[in-house]
Amino acid sequence: MKQKFSNRLRVCLLLLGGGIMLYPLLWMLGATFMTNAELFGSFSPIPLHPTLDGYRLAMEEYGGAINLLGAMKNTILLVLPKVLFTLISCTLTAYGFARFEFCGKRILFALLISTLFLPQSVMYVPQFLMFSELGWVDSPFYPALILPSLFAFDTYFIFMLIQHFKSTPRELDDAAKIDGCNAVQTLFHVLCPVIRPALISCALLQFIWSSNDYMGPLLYVSTPEFYPLSLFVKLSMDADAGAAWNRILAVSLISVLPTLMLFFSAQKFFVEDITAGSLKS
């Protein structure tokens, strides 16, 4: 009897906590169908007089040469290459630190980890000056935001992958060597499939962080035609008078849908990576 009561209490607490966490999202979804008067006059997420004006206005051009679909296209052109380059460069770097011995390895690894404690804000000015000299600022190809990923710019992912490589038995490398694989073939044909959950987690996190990045595009993109979603959402909130909040919330909701869909589609691998990281091989 006591066990049943404990289980029911636990379920009730979980439902209560889940409801509290989901309420802002449900309210945001309902508010996209409300008028300004109803939106500010009720806490209910259910619209009494639903309207599609927010979504209709969200799809219209705003800010001249940019609209929601154009901003989504720009975001894809920015984020997908950055995710791909991050996976390639960070995997190769982590593989080198985890599997090979070379002169100065400990010093280089210490320097690598020390960059985790370097605030990004202190790098904005020197990076902007350097990228300006290279002509990378305000380019439709976003080189200032994408190309640093080719050089293993994200130390967190390197450290994360190093731990997964170290937890992978070296017997796999020896077996691959016996079968005639070189170091690169061993990496891509043997080790990468083993640490696939970690690679998917890195790709997912980089996709989310790059999609939500505001300071990077704000510094290096000045032409509205090239704005990604992070800048377009802010642009949609700038109004001289009478902001249509259902449009602003509709733009915000549509902008997060790709990230939500990607997260839930890759949730299985993300959970596998967390579980694997909590166990010792």
Side-chain angles (χ1 to χ4, degrees):
M1 186 67 180
K2 183 181 294 186
Q3 183 66 29
K4 289 183 179 180
F5 176 78
S6 177
N7 291 337
R8 289 177 181 176
L9 179 61
R10 187 180 297 112
V11 170
C12 291
L13 291 176
L14 289 174
L15 290 175
L16 177 62
I20 294 174
M21 295 178 66
L22 287 175
Y23 175 78
L25 294 177
L26 295 176
W27 184 88
M28 179 182 179
L29 175 61
T32 60
F33 299 100
M34 299 179 186
T35 61
N36 278 5
E38 184 179 356
L39 192 149
F40 290 105
S42 173
F43 288 101
S44 174
I46 302 175
L48 298 178
H49 306 286
T51 176
L52 293 176
D53 288 345
Y55 291 94
R56 178 179 58 81
L57 294 172
M59 302 306 295
E60 294 180 355
E61 286 194 5
Y62 188 84
I66 188 66
N67 55 30
L68 182 58
L69 295 180
M72 294 182 71
K73 182 196 72 172
N74 292 339
T75 301
I76 293 173
L77 293 176
L78 166 62
V79 172
L80 292 186
K82 190 172 183 178
V83 171
L84 178 62
F85 293 160
T86 296
L87 285 179
I88 294 174
S89 61
C90 291
T91 300
L92 291 174
T93 305
Y95 179 54
F97 276 107
R99 282 299 201 256
F100 298 97
E101 295 296 332
F102 50 88
C103 181
K105 175 181 176 180
R106 292 187 177 182
I107 297 177
L108 290 175
F109 183 73
L111 291 174
L112 177 71
I113 297 301
S114 66
T115 60
L116 283 172
F117 305 98
L118 183 66
Q120 180 64 30
S121 56
V122 304
M123 301 174 62
Y124 285 142
V125 172
Q127 283 182 345
F128 183 83
L129 294 176
M130 179 178 66
F131 294 153
S132 296
E133 290 293 329
L134 294 173
W136 289 2
V137 176
D138 200 29
S139 168
F141 304 106
Y142 311 105
L145 298 171
I146 295 176
L147 292 184
S149 301
L150 281 172
F151 302 96
F153 190 72
D154 298 280
T155 309
Y156 172 77
F157 297 135
I158 300 174
F159 179 75
M160 176 180 173
L161 292 174
I162 286 176
Q163 306 311 310
H164 282 81
F165 277 126
K166 286 184 176 180
S167 65
T168 305
R170 286 186 176 269
E171 286 78 5
L172 294 176
D173 303 55
D174 298 334
K177 188 174 182 180
I178 292 174
D179 289 337
C181 292
N182 56 34
V184 177
Q185 292 172 327
T186 300
L187 171 62
F188 288 105
H189 295 294
V190 178
L191 297 180
C192 282
V194 174
I195 65 167
R196 183 178 61 169
L199 295 175
I200 293 177
S201 295
C202 291
L204 180 61
L205 290 174
Q206 182 65 290
F207 185 93
I208 294 174
W209 293 347
S210 300
S211 299
N212 294 334
D213 182 24
Y214 178 74
M215 284 301 300
L218 182 65
L219 287 172
Y220 304 121
V221 182
S222 57
T223 303
E225 184 181 356
F226 307 145
Y227 280 1
L229 279 171
S230 57
L231 292 184
F232 180 79
V233 171
K234 177 60 174 66
L235 180 66
S236 68
M237 298 177 64
D238 294 334
D240 295 333
W245 285 98
N246 53 5
R247 173 181 58 81
I248 295 173
L249 292 173
V251 170
S252 301
L253 181 62
I254 294 173
S255 67
V256 301
L257 283 180
T259 302
L260 289 176
M261 294 171 61
L262 179 65
F263 177 80
F264 285 114
S265 63
Q267 185 180 18
K268 173 184 175 183
F269 300 100
F270 191 70
V271 174
E272 285 182 4
D273 178 50
I274 295 175
T275 304
S278 64
L279 300 176
K280 292 183 179 180
S281 60

